[in-house]
Short mmCIF file of all heavy atoms in Angstrom, two decimals:
data_model
loop_
_atom_site.label_atom_id
_atom_site.label_comp_id
_atom_site.label_asym_id
_atom_site.label_seq_id
_atom_site.Cartn_x
_atom_site.Cartn_y
_atom_site.Cartn_z
N GLU A 681 -12.77 6.70 16.67
CA GLU A 681 -12.49 5.69 15.64
C GLU A 681 -13.78 5.32 14.89
O GLU A 681 -13.79 5.12 13.69
CB GLU A 681 -11.87 4.44 16.26
CG GLU A 681 -10.41 4.60 16.71
CD GLU A 681 -10.28 5.44 17.99
OE1 GLU A 681 -11.22 5.41 18.83
OE2 GLU A 681 -9.26 6.14 18.13
N PHE A 682 -14.86 5.21 15.67
CA PHE A 682 -16.16 4.84 15.08
C PHE A 682 -16.57 5.86 14.02
O PHE A 682 -16.95 5.51 12.91
CB PHE A 682 -17.19 4.77 16.20
CG PHE A 682 -18.58 4.32 15.80
CD1 PHE A 682 -18.77 3.14 15.09
CD2 PHE A 682 -19.69 5.09 16.12
CE1 PHE A 682 -20.03 2.73 14.71
CE2 PHE A 682 -20.97 4.68 15.77
CZ PHE A 682 -21.15 3.50 15.04
N TRP A 683 -16.45 7.15 14.35
CA TRP A 683 -16.87 8.17 13.40
C TRP A 683 -15.90 8.28 12.23
O TRP A 683 -16.31 8.63 11.13
CB TRP A 683 -17.03 9.51 14.14
CG TRP A 683 -18.14 9.49 15.13
CD1 TRP A 683 -19.27 8.67 15.07
CD2 TRP A 683 -18.29 10.24 16.33
NE1 TRP A 683 -20.06 8.90 16.16
CE2 TRP A 683 -19.50 9.86 16.95
CE3 TRP A 683 -17.51 11.21 16.94
CZ2 TRP A 683 -19.94 10.41 18.15
CZ3 TRP A 683 -17.95 11.78 18.14
CH2 TRP A 683 -19.15 11.38 18.73
N ASP A 684 -14.64 7.96 12.48
CA ASP A 684 -13.69 7.92 11.39
C ASP A 684 -14.11 6.87 10.35
O ASP A 684 -14.02 7.10 9.14
CB ASP A 684 -12.30 7.60 11.95
CG ASP A 684 -11.22 8.25 11.13
OD1 ASP A 684 -11.24 9.48 11.03
OD2 ASP A 684 -10.35 7.53 10.60
N ARG A 685 -14.61 5.74 10.86
CA ARG A 685 -15.09 4.67 9.95
C ARG A 685 -16.36 5.10 9.23
O ARG A 685 -16.55 4.78 8.05
CB ARG A 685 -15.33 3.39 10.74
CG ARG A 685 -14.05 2.64 11.09
CD ARG A 685 -14.34 1.19 11.45
NE ARG A 685 -15.01 1.07 12.73
CZ ARG A 685 -16.11 0.36 12.96
NH1 ARG A 685 -16.69 -0.31 11.98
NH2 ARG A 685 -16.65 0.30 14.16
N ILE A 686 -17.23 5.81 9.94
CA ILE A 686 -18.46 6.27 9.30
C ILE A 686 -18.13 7.27 8.19
O ILE A 686 -18.67 7.20 7.08
CB ILE A 686 -19.46 6.87 10.32
CG1 ILE A 686 -19.85 5.84 11.38
CG2 ILE A 686 -20.70 7.41 9.61
CD1 ILE A 686 -20.91 6.31 12.37
N VAL A 687 -17.21 8.19 8.49
CA VAL A 687 -16.81 9.17 7.46
C VAL A 687 -16.16 8.46 6.27
O VAL A 687 -16.39 8.81 5.12
CB VAL A 687 -15.90 10.27 8.07
CG1 VAL A 687 -15.33 11.17 6.97
CG2 VAL A 687 -16.65 11.11 9.08
N SER A 688 -15.39 7.41 6.55
CA SER A 688 -14.80 6.64 5.44
C SER A 688 -15.88 6.06 4.55
O SER A 688 -15.74 6.02 3.31
CB SER A 688 -13.95 5.46 5.97
OG SER A 688 -12.89 5.94 6.72
N ALA A 689 -16.97 5.60 5.16
CA ALA A 689 -18.08 5.05 4.37
C ALA A 689 -18.71 6.11 3.48
O ALA A 689 -19.15 5.81 2.36
CB ALA A 689 -19.13 4.43 5.30
N VAL A 690 -18.73 7.36 3.95
CA VAL A 690 -19.25 8.46 3.12
C VAL A 690 -18.45 8.51 1.80
O VAL A 690 -19.03 8.58 0.70
CB VAL A 690 -19.14 9.82 3.84
CG1 VAL A 690 -19.49 10.98 2.90
CG2 VAL A 690 -20.00 9.85 5.10
N PHE A 691 -17.12 8.43 1.94
CA PHE A 691 -16.28 8.55 0.73
C PHE A 691 -16.29 7.26 -0.09
O PHE A 691 -16.40 7.33 -1.32
CB PHE A 691 -14.86 8.97 1.13
CG PHE A 691 -14.82 10.40 1.55
CD1 PHE A 691 -15.06 10.78 2.86
CD2 PHE A 691 -14.63 11.40 0.60
CE1 PHE A 691 -15.09 12.11 3.23
CE2 PHE A 691 -14.65 12.74 0.94
CZ PHE A 691 -14.89 13.09 2.27
N GLU A 692 -16.21 6.12 0.56
CA GLU A 692 -16.16 4.83 -0.15
C GLU A 692 -17.47 4.53 -0.87
O GLU A 692 -17.49 4.09 -2.02
CB GLU A 692 -15.86 3.70 0.84
CG GLU A 692 -14.38 3.47 1.09
CD GLU A 692 -13.64 3.13 -0.21
OE1 GLU A 692 -14.12 2.23 -0.94
OE2 GLU A 692 -12.64 3.77 -0.48
#
Side-chain angles (χ1 to χ4, degrees):
E681 287 73 31
F682 183 54
W683 294 333
D684 211 58
R685 283 199 288 130
I686 299 185
V687 172
S688 297
V690 172
F691 287 88
E692 273 301 310

